[in-house]
Amino acid sequence: MTPTSEYTEQDKKRSIIVLGIFWFFTGVEYAVILPSAWLYLQHLGADNKFWLSASISAFSLANFLFSPFYGRIADKFSTKTILLLSNIFELLGNLLYLCANDVYSNILGRFIAGLGAAAGSAIFAYLIRCASSPMEVNSNMGNVMTARAVGLIVGPAFNFLLVHADFHIGILHVTPLNAPGLVMFSIFLICQVMVFFFFKDLPKEPRSQPLVSVAATSDDDEDTPKCSEYMGLGVISLLLVQFLNMFNQTAYETFLTPFTLSTFHWKQTANSIVFIATAVVAISVYKTMIYTQRKFQIADRIEITIGIVLQFVGFCLFWAIPAQNSHELWKFVLSSVIFVVGLPFVYIAPALQAKLTTKRAQGLGQGIRRSVMSGAQIIGPLWATLSSHPNAFWGGMVGLTGLSIVVLVVAWKKLEFVMPGLPSPKKPVLGERQPLLRDEPEDRRNAIN
């Protein structure tokens, strides 16, 4: 990016921190809401787990519908405007969740909050556009995703405090079940202030000035996304793998709370501990993966494949040796750990997708990606609650994960991209035949940097 008097390196760092905090808050929201969601719905009159799926899916439906829209606005106009608007939706949605007096208002509150979370497409597009190298794309996106995982750790800590919530705000009775709405309303109010004062949009660059594209694309008409970018086998395969990965994750998470309640008699506090442990494992694995990838120059596509295979093994164990009671807890723990260890490896897929598409249209590209993943977040919970038999549920998960492996194998050659480390790496990248991104000429690097 060309330095200007209007946008400095300090502005960039500060803006990325704000985005990380925003995404951290979305992790907190998820971890605060989900452990008590089923108990809250039962308190409001829900008598079937379908309503839990509906509440989770409502949030994802809003993401599905609005992510491309937000992303394209960010491409053409302002990321800051999108963030301010999305925070308003988060505030309204969590306020309605706090005040819900029936199942329908609970679901509506989650839908409105989902309109706020749809800003993720604009967030990731900003992180990609402000990057000066493909390695920085991985770093920016990885750091923000890690911030969300930290939110998943911190979020349950609020639940430990909210267990004792019992007070009134006017005529509103705040209990451990609706208190998460109050917590998230307060948090996103702070976030709105931070975005307003500390976030700065990227300057609009002249069209005549060359850009370093994340993918090898023409410099002509970079503002206009081309259908061919998103119809290529490489991008389609990554979208499908991410869809199936998110389907597995959300189906597992929806299955988890009712299963632990009926099998191990775990309630809100115990489930919160599970979410903390899951996030700690995911962060540790992700950081180790990034370190290993940089040190040994491992290609993105190999990392993704490792993750999918681990998930496949985890689901096979869930299916083959299901836990039937509290004495068989080790079976549940073993299967869960293998599955969770596999998840962070697939988190690199959005960065690889970004490298295969035009830099200036990343808002739309990330919007499409998040819509695809939101579709999985809608279908996954429904599958978890509507599957009438454990064999059908786990068999479906094994089959879909196996499909992911097949898709990766079919599209393997289209996912070639050198794992960028230092300029002109002296050793070949593991899993790649040759670099697809060459070093820029010295005069162009100087002009850009």
Side-chain angles (χ1 to χ4, degrees), residues 1-2 4-16 18-19 70-71 73-84 122-123 125-127 129-130 194-205:
M1 180 183 303
T2 305
T4 69
S5 58
E6 300 176 354
Y7 188 86
T8 65
E9 187 67 21
Q10 190 64 30
D11 291 327
K12 174 181 171 180
K13 291 179 180 178
R14 188 164 50 240
S15 297
I16 291 176
V18 170
L19 295 180
Y70 283 5
I73 290 179
D75 281 339
K76 288 290 188 179
F77 302 105
S78 166
T79 301
K80 185 171 185 175
T81 301
I82 292 296
L83 292 176
L84 292 172
I123 289 174
Y126 184 98
L127 295 172
R129 280 196 293 265
C130 75
M194 293 185 64
V195 171
F196 185 83
F197 287 105
F198 300 111
F199 183 83
K200 192 165 187 178
D201 274 313
L202 290 166
K204 295 293 182 181
E205 300 195 38

Side-chain angles (χ1 to χ4, degrees), residues 233-234 237-238 298-306 309 352 356 404-417 430-433 436:
L233 180 59
S237 65
L238 287 173
I298 302 173
D300 292 345
R301 62 182 180 175
I302 290 183
E303 300 276 8
I304 295 169
T305 304
I306 291 172
V309 170
L352 178 56
L356 300 177
S404 297
I405 297 174
V406 173
V407 168
L408 285 172
V409 171
V410 171
W412 190 257
K413 292 184 179 180
K414 298 296 183 180
L415 299 175
E416 289 180 313
F417 193 94
L430 181 59
E432 303 291 4
R433 291 177 300 176
L436 297 187

Side-chain angles (χ1 to χ4, degrees), residues 368-442:
I368 292 172
R369 181 185 71 81
R370 286 189 57 77
S371 283
V372 167
M373 295 183 71
S374 295
Q377 288 175 310
I378 295 170
I379 301 173
L382 293 175
W383 170 256
T385 54
L386 297 179
S387 299
S388 57
H389 195 279
N391 282 336
F393 175 70
W394 292 118
M397 305 289 272
V398 169
L400 289 173
T401 310
L403 177 61
S404 297
I405 297 174
V406 173
V407 168
L408 285 172
V409 171
V410 171
W412 190 257
K413 292 184 179 180
K414 298 296 183 180
L415 299 175
E416 289 180 313
F417 193 94
V418 66
M419 177 57 227
L422 298 174
S424 301
K426 296 181 179 180
K427 58 182 179 179
V429 176
L430 181 59
E432 303 291 4
R433 291 177 300 176
Q434 60 183 5
L436 297 187
L437 188 71
R438 304 293 184 185
D439 288 338
E440 294 290 338
E442 185 67 26

Side-chain angles (χ1 to χ4, degrees), residues 40-96:
Y40 189 22
L41 288 166
Q42 288 179 306
H43 173 75
L44 295 175
D47 57 358
N48 191 295
K49 288 189 293 184
F50 167 79
W51 294 109
L52 175 61
S53 298
S55 180
I56 296 172
S57 297
F59 186 90
S60 303
L61 178 62
N63 265 280
F64 176 81
L65 295 174
F66 285 86
S67 285
F69 178 66
Y70 283 5
R72 195 57 185 144
I73 290 179
D75 281 339
K76 288 290 188 179
F77 302 105
S78 166
T79 301
K80 185 171 185 175
T81 301
I82 292 296
L83 292 176
L84 292 172
L85 178 64
S86 66
N87 270 322
I88 291 174
F89 284 128
E90 287 280 9
L91 290 167
L92 293 175
N94 282 292
L95 183 62
L96 183 55

Side-chain angles (χ1 to χ4, degrees), residues 87-107:
N87 270 322
I88 291 174
F89 284 128
E90 287 280 9
L91 290 167
L92 293 175
N94 282 292
L95 183 62
L96 183 55
Y97 188 88
L98 168 66
C99 302
N101 54 15
D102 57 34
V103 170
Y104 300 102
S105 54
N106 175 290
I107 294 173

